[in-house]
Amino acid sequence: MSQLIERVEADRALKTKHKALWSLGDYPAVAAEVIPATGPRLVEACGIRAGQRVLDVAAGSGNAAIPAALAGADVVASDLTPDLLDAGRRLAEERGATLQWQEADAEALPYGDAEFDVVMSCVGVMFAPHHQAGADELVRVCRPGGTLGLLSWTPEGFIGQMFATLKPYAPPPPPGAQPPPLWGDEAHVRLLLGDRVKDVDARKEMLTVDRFGSPEEMREFFKRAYGPTIAVYRSIADDAAKVEALDRALADLAADHFGPDGTTMEWEYLLLTATRQ
């Protein structure tokens, strides 16, 4: 019993840490200024239409949930971080979208079995630490014959490589936590979902990012707006040599992903849809 209590308390502490992480900086600015096309792309791939009941898991500020609502669906946007939900409510009101916003843990969703026609996540559930638990919940709340849709950064793409660059400077992850970009590996996601889905369609696509005029501008934006980057820099703030080395590594990585015109970047993601058995 004591071990169970310890696990529950450790998980609660981890989720509290995740809430704080995604409250850092300005993730809604990342969603709106850097990756706005990802949400509508996922909505399109899922074939979301009027009358469907849709759940967006780890919805953030509604990058996919708001377009789904504007398509006429009955949408619930769930996320662990209340600050992101508050930002999403404001954005939805500005865009004339009506949907529900609910604080929820992607690994323990407060919804009934088979409750939704579409269950999706746009670079969201990939950041839940325990991948199988998150996948099990996605499948559980989707009705038989319903659609699962996931858009996730690949390990080989820019964001996946950024996490690899940050890793040597970051504190060790908690026991059992898995790297987020694994959700961008088709084989990994197929293993998570197993035989509970059929008609899997997985494709790698590129997001064109034209927000930054230089590698250094990209790095500085992520240092002030993106929670995971901010957290790593805070952990090494007392070591000037490490800060300088990480600054250089991130700028070099960004430079490698700028196109010949020097104004656009190409970020790879995995777009996967499937039908619940």
Side-chain angles (χ1 to χ4, degrees):
M1 180 63 73
S2 62
Q3 289 182 338
L4 175 60
I5 293 173
E6 288 177 3
R7 285 199 301 270
V8 170
E9 290 179 347
D11 185 68
R12 184 180 296 116
L14 177 58
K15 298 305 168 59
T16 299
K17 185 176 180 180
H18 271 236
K19 284 185 185 182
L21 174 70
W22 291 104
S23 295
L24 294 173
D26 188 359
Y27 185 76
V30 178
E33 299 177 25
V34 185
I35 62 167
T38 54
R41 179 68 186 102
L42 180 57
V43 169
E44 175 190 32
C46 291
I48 291 174
R49 60 187 183 276
Q52 288 183 316
R53 183 152 169 77
V54 175
L55 174 65
D56 188 4
V57 177
S61 53
N63 193 28
I66 291 173
L70 292 173
D74 177 10
V75 179
V76 177
S78 68
D79 198 275
L80 188 66
T81 306
D83 289 350
L84 297 183
L85 296 174
D86 290 342
R89 290 186 184 96
R90 292 191 294 270
L91 289 169
E93 185 175 358
E94 290 172 6
R95 297 184 61 183
T98 301
L99 61 158
Q100 300 176 59
W101 301 88
Q102 185 166 11
E103 184 177 345
D105 181 352
E107 297 178 2
L109 294 170
Y111 310 112
D113 296 352
E115 190 170 332
F116 296 93
D117 300 305
V118 178
V119 179
M120 63 178 180
S121 188
C122 183
V123 296
V125 72
M126 65 181 292
F127 292 101
H130 308 110
H131 293 188
Q132 192 62 64
D136 290 348
E137 285 295 88
L138 295 175
V139 174
R140 180 184 66 79
V141 300
C142 185
R143 69 167 175 80
T147 299
L148 290 170
L150 300 165
L151 191 153
S152 310
W153 304 120
T154 66
E156 304 83 10
F158 173 72
I159 296 294
Q161 287 301 299
M162 186 180 76
F163 274 93
T165 301
L166 293 171
K167 184 178 179 180
Y169 301 89
Q178 294 173 278
L182 280 178
W183 279 87
D185 180 323
E186 179 184 345
H188 180 71
V189 181
R190 284 180 176 270
L191 186 63
L192 293 175
L193 299 176
D195 61 4
R196 298 173 295 178
V197 300
K198 61 181 181 179
D199 304 327
V200 176
D201 182 11
R203 60 188 71 186
K204 291 181 179 179
E205 297 183 352
M206 289 291 188
L207 172 70
T208 298
V209 176
D210 58 4
R211 168 63 175 75
F212 309 111
S214 71
E216 292 75 19
E217 183 183 355
M218 187 289 306
R219 179 194 66 209
E220 294 307 308
F221 179 89
F222 270 70
K223 284 176 68 173
R224 68 175 181 270
Y226 194 58
T229 312
I230 296 169
V232 171
Y233 271 96
R234 285 187 177 181
S235 74
I236 61 172
D238 294 333
D239 191 327
K242 283 187 177 181
V243 171
E244 182 180 355
L246 182 53
D247 275 349
R248 185 166 55 251
L250 287 177
D252 289 346
L253 175 67
D256 290 341
H257 284 79
F258 268 90
D261 62 1
T263 62
T264 59
M265 305 176 73
E266 297 292 329
W267 296 4
E268 185 181 72
Y269 60 82
L270 178 72
L271 181 64
L272 184 145
T273 58
T275 301
R276 172 78 160 93
Q277 288 277 29

